Amino acid sequence: MATKVTRSTNSFTDLDFNFTKLSSTGDVAKKTDVEAVKQSMRALISTRNFERPFQPYLGCAVSQLLFENNTPMTRRMIGKTIEEVIQHHEPRAKISSVEVFDNSDNNEYNVRIYFYVVNHTQQEVFDTYLTRTR
């Protein structure tokens, strides 16, 4: 008797935060799989603590670090803060490493996150820029 083996392949979908409308159906577009996880990571990084009602610990304290002096310690703290918020609030992503590069000429940091999406074997890269805003 042959045994049938099935593989679990989850497909992740989220609404597109740009709320673009599909011309064919008029519905809001969706982000799927890797793009959905990247969108979620961007939202987590840009959300401040206590910004969301009833979810005070959902967010990232990286905005306070952007006004610190540009030192190797500050870059490590930014990377660690981003890594922790993604580990705690985005179960679909498994972080490999977080790199933070300074761009002093533009007063910003370039953040590169290497991660794996659950049930995917290829490593993904997410790049974003952090700038000071008041």
Side-chain angles (χ1 to χ4, degrees):
M1 181 173 179
T3 304
K4 183 178 179 182
V5 176
T6 58
R7 184 175 151 213
S8 174
T9 56
N10 294 336
S11 178
F12 305 115
T13 57
D14 291 339
L15 289 177
D16 184 0
F17 287 165
N18 294 327
F19 295 104
T20 52
K21 186 170 126 178
L22 295 174
S23 59
S24 59
T25 61
D27 288 340
V28 175
K30 293 187 260 183
K31 297 270 186 175
T32 57
D33 292 331
V34 174
E35 293 304 315
V37 174
K38 287 181 180 181
Q39 177 179 267
S40 175
M41 289 192 307
R42 177 175 282 117
L44 286 170
I45 293 168
S46 63
T47 301
R48 295 178 181 186
N49 287 331
F50 303 101
E51 185 175 336
R52 293 193 184 179
F54 308 108
Q55 294 178 322
Y57 300 109
L58 179 68
C60 189
V62 76
S63 61
Q64 291 95 4
L65 296 170
L66 297 179
F67 289 94
E68 296 293 327
N69 290 330
N70 184 3
T71 64
M73 180 58 107
T74 303
R75 291 191 293 275
R76 277 192 294 259
M77 288 172 56
I78 289 172
K80 187 67 173 163
T81 302
I82 290 172
E83 189 174 339
E84 286 175 358
V85 75
I86 292 172
Q87 284 177 348
H88 289 121
H89 298 289
E90 182 49 78
R92 301 175 291 185
K94 301 298 176 200
I95 302 294
S96 299
S97 66
V98 177
E99 296 177 344
V100 180
F101 306 100
D102 68 346
N103 187 351
S104 299
D105 294 338
N106 293 330
N107 292 322
E108 65 185 9
Y109 291 98
N110 178 17
V111 177
R112 183 169 293 144
I113 303 169
Y114 296 93
F115 69 100
Y116 290 93
V117 176
V118 175
N119 292 334
H120 287 74
T121 57
Q122 182 178 358
Q123 184 177 29
E124 300 293 333
V125 179
F126 173 64
D127 283 315
T128 189
Y129 292 93
L130 304 175
T131 59
R132 299 175 194 171
T133 57
R134 293 192 183 240

